[in-house]
PDB file of all heavy atoms in Angstrom:
ATOM      1  N   TYR A 182      13.656  32.562   6.557  1.00 98.00           N
ATOM      2  CA  TYR A 182      14.309  31.470   5.864  1.00 98.00           C
ATOM      3  C   TYR A 182      14.872  31.970   4.523  1.00 98.00           C
ATOM      4  O   TYR A 182      14.236  32.801   3.862  1.00 98.00           O
ATOM      5  CB  TYR A 182      13.313  30.332   5.591  1.00 98.00           C
ATOM      6  CG  TYR A 182      12.908  29.565   6.819  1.00 98.00           C
ATOM      7  CD1 TYR A 182      11.877  30.012   7.633  1.00 98.00           C
ATOM      8  CD2 TYR A 182      13.577  28.388   7.179  1.00 98.00           C
ATOM      9  CE1 TYR A 182      11.493  29.317   8.758  1.00 98.00           C
ATOM     10  CE2 TYR A 182      13.212  27.696   8.309  1.00 98.00           C
ATOM     11  CZ  TYR A 182      12.176  28.151   9.106  1.00 98.00           C
ATOM     12  OH  TYR A 182      11.811  27.466  10.221  1.00 98.00           O
ATOM     13  N   PHE A 183      16.037  31.472   4.145  1.00 98.00           N
ATOM     14  CA  PHE A 183      16.677  31.855   2.907  1.00 98.00           C
ATOM     15  C   PHE A 183      16.650  30.662   1.939  1.00 98.00           C
ATOM     16  O   PHE A 183      17.258  29.620   2.229  1.00 98.00           O
ATOM     17  CB  PHE A 183      18.129  32.253   3.155  1.00 98.00           C
ATOM     18  CG  PHE A 183      18.302  33.441   4.051  1.00 98.00           C
ATOM     19  CD1 PHE A 183      18.208  33.315   5.444  1.00 98.00           C
ATOM     20  CD2 PHE A 183      18.540  34.705   3.525  1.00 98.00           C
ATOM     21  CE1 PHE A 183      18.363  34.386   6.275  1.00 98.00           C
ATOM     22  CE2 PHE A 183      18.700  35.805   4.370  1.00 98.00           C
ATOM     23  CZ  PHE A 183      18.600  35.652   5.745  1.00 98.00           C
ATOM     24  N   SER A 184      15.954  30.805   0.827  1.00 98.00           N
ATOM     25  CA  SER A 184      15.841  29.725  -0.156  1.00 98.00           C
ATOM     26  C   SER A 184      16.856  29.968  -1.274  1.00 98.00           C
ATOM     27  O   SER A 184      16.818  31.010  -1.938  1.00 98.00           O
ATOM     28  CB  SER A 184      14.416  29.657  -0.703  1.00 98.00           C
ATOM     29  OG  SER A 184      14.266  28.511  -1.503  1.00 98.00           O
ATOM     30  N   ILE A 185      17.753  29.009  -1.459  1.00 98.00           N
ATOM     31  CA  ILE A 185      18.871  29.173  -2.385  1.00 98.00           C
ATOM     32  C   ILE A 185      18.594  28.433  -3.678  1.00 98.00           C
ATOM     33  O   ILE A 185      18.279  27.236  -3.643  1.00 98.00           O
ATOM     34  CB  ILE A 185      20.179  28.669  -1.741  1.00 98.00           C
ATOM     35  CG1 ILE A 185      20.377  29.311  -0.361  1.00 98.00           C
ATOM     36  CG2 ILE A 185      21.368  28.968  -2.652  1.00 98.00           C
ATOM     37  CD1 ILE A 185      20.443  30.822  -0.344  1.00 98.00           C
ATOM     38  N   SER A 186      18.781  29.123  -4.790  1.00 98.00           N
ATOM     39  CA  SER A 186      18.527  28.546  -6.101  1.00 98.00           C
ATOM     40  C   SER A 186      19.844  28.226  -6.828  1.00 98.00           C
ATOM     41  O   SER A 186      20.926  28.384  -6.261  1.00 98.00           O
ATOM     42  CB  SER A 186      17.703  29.510  -6.948  1.00 98.00           C
ATOM     43  OG  SER A 186      18.504  30.660  -7.281  1.00 98.00           O
ATOM     44  N   GLY A 187      19.735  27.865  -8.096  1.00 98.00           N
ATOM     45  CA  GLY A 187      20.908  27.521  -8.896  1.00 98.00           C
ATOM     46  C   GLY A 187      21.887  28.660  -9.087  1.00 98.00           C
ATOM     47  O   GLY A 187      23.048  28.424  -9.465  1.00 98.00           O
ATOM     48  N   ILE A 188      21.480  29.893  -8.795  1.00 98.00           N
ATOM     49  CA  ILE A 188      22.395  31.040  -8.928  1.00 98.00           C
ATOM     50  C   ILE A 188      23.660  30.818  -8.105  1.00 98.00           C
ATOM     51  O   ILE A 188      24.744  31.266  -8.482  1.00 98.00           O
ATOM     52  CB  ILE A 188      21.673  32.333  -8.474  1.00 98.00           C
ATOM     53  CG1 ILE A 188      20.558  32.692  -9.450  1.00 98.00           C
ATOM     54  CG2 ILE A 188      22.667  33.494  -8.377  1.00 98.00           C
ATOM     55  CD1 ILE A 188      19.719  33.867  -9.011  1.00 98.00           C
ATOM     56  N   ILE A 189      23.539  30.107  -6.987  1.00 98.00           N
ATOM     57  CA  ILE A 189      24.678  29.891  -6.086  1.00 98.00           C
ATOM     58  C   ILE A 189      25.827  29.175  -6.804  1.00 98.00           C
ATOM     59  O   ILE A 189      26.989  29.292  -6.394  1.00 98.00           O
ATOM     60  CB  ILE A 189      24.245  29.094  -4.832  1.00 98.00           C
ATOM     61  CG1 ILE A 189      25.304  29.148  -3.753  1.00 98.00           C
ATOM     62  CG2 ILE A 189      23.919  27.654  -5.187  1.00 98.00           C
ATOM     63  CD1 ILE A 189      25.437  30.480  -3.075  1.00 98.00           C
ATOM     64  N   THR A 190      25.531  28.475  -7.874  1.00 98.00           N
ATOM     65  CA  THR A 190      26.568  27.699  -8.582  1.00 98.00           C
ATOM     66  C   THR A 190      27.312  28.515  -9.635  1.00 98.00           C
ATOM     67  O   THR A 190      28.304  28.031 -10.195  1.00 98.00           O
ATOM     68  CB  THR A 190      25.943  26.466  -9.280  1.00 98.00           C
ATOM     69  OG1 THR A 190      25.101  26.909 -10.354  1.00 98.00           O
ATOM     70  CG2 THR A 190      25.146  25.608  -8.314  1.00 98.00           C
ATOM     71  N   TYR A 191      26.855  29.739  -9.926  1.00 98.00           N
ATOM     72  CA  TYR A 191      27.431  30.497 -11.019  1.00 98.00           C
ATOM     73  C   TYR A 191      28.767  31.101 -10.613  1.00 98.00           C
ATOM     74  O   TYR A 191      28.981  31.512  -9.462  1.00 98.00           O
ATOM     75  CB  TYR A 191      26.494  31.629 -11.451  1.00 98.00           C
ATOM     76  CG  TYR A 191      25.135  31.184 -11.941  1.00 98.00           C
ATOM     77  CD1 TYR A 191      24.101  32.091 -12.123  1.00 98.00           C
ATOM     78  CD2 TYR A 191      24.871  29.840 -12.241  1.00 98.00           C
ATOM     79  CE1 TYR A 191      22.847  31.685 -12.584  1.00 98.00           C
ATOM     80  CE2 TYR A 191      23.623  29.440 -12.681  1.00 98.00           C
ATOM     81  CZ  TYR A 191      22.623  30.354 -12.859  1.00 98.00           C
ATOM     82  OH  TYR A 191      21.395  29.953 -13.298  1.00 98.00           O
ATOM     83  N   ASP A 192      29.667  31.169 -11.572  1.00 97.00           N
ATOM     84  CA  ASP A 192      31.014  31.709 -11.295  1.00 97.00           C
ATOM     85  C   ASP A 192      30.966  33.172 -10.865  1.00 97.00           C
ATOM     86  O   ASP A 192      31.894  33.635 -10.204  1.00 97.00           O
ATOM     87  CB  ASP A 192      31.876  31.582 -12.569  1.00 97.00           C
ATOM     88  CG  ASP A 192      32.167  30.122 -12.930  1.00 97.00           C
ATOM     89  OD1 ASP A 192      32.085  29.277 -12.027  1.00 97.00           O
ATOM     90  OD2 ASP A 192      32.442  29.856 -14.099  1.00 97.00           O
ATOM     91  N   THR A 193      29.928  33.899 -11.254  1.00 97.00           N
ATOM     92  CA  THR A 193      29.823  35.317 -10.918  1.00 97.00           C
ATOM     93  C   THR A 193      29.176  35.559  -9.580  1.00 97.00           C
ATOM     94  O   THR A 193      29.077  36.714  -9.140  1.00 97.00           O
ATOM     95  CB  THR A 193      28.992  36.026 -12.010  1.00 97.00           C
ATOM     96  OG1 THR A 193      27.714  35.344 -12.129  1.00 97.00           O
ATOM     97  CG2 THR A 193      29.703  35.996 -13.349  1.00 97.00           C
ATOM     98  N   ALA A 194      28.723  34.524  -8.898  1.00 97.00           N
ATOM     99  CA  ALA A 194      27.935  34.687  -7.662  1.00 97.00           C
ATOM    100  C   ALA A 194      28.817  34.753  -6.410  1.00 97.00           C
ATOM    101  O   ALA A 194      28.500  34.169  -5.375  1.00 97.00           O
ATOM    102  CB  ALA A 194      26.922  33.562  -7.523  1.00 97.00           C
TER     103      ALA A 194
END
Side-chain angles (χ1 to χ4, degrees):
Y182 289 85
F183 298 81
S184 188
I185 309 301
S186 69
I188 292 174
I189 194 71
T190 68
Y191 300 168
D192 294 337
T193 55

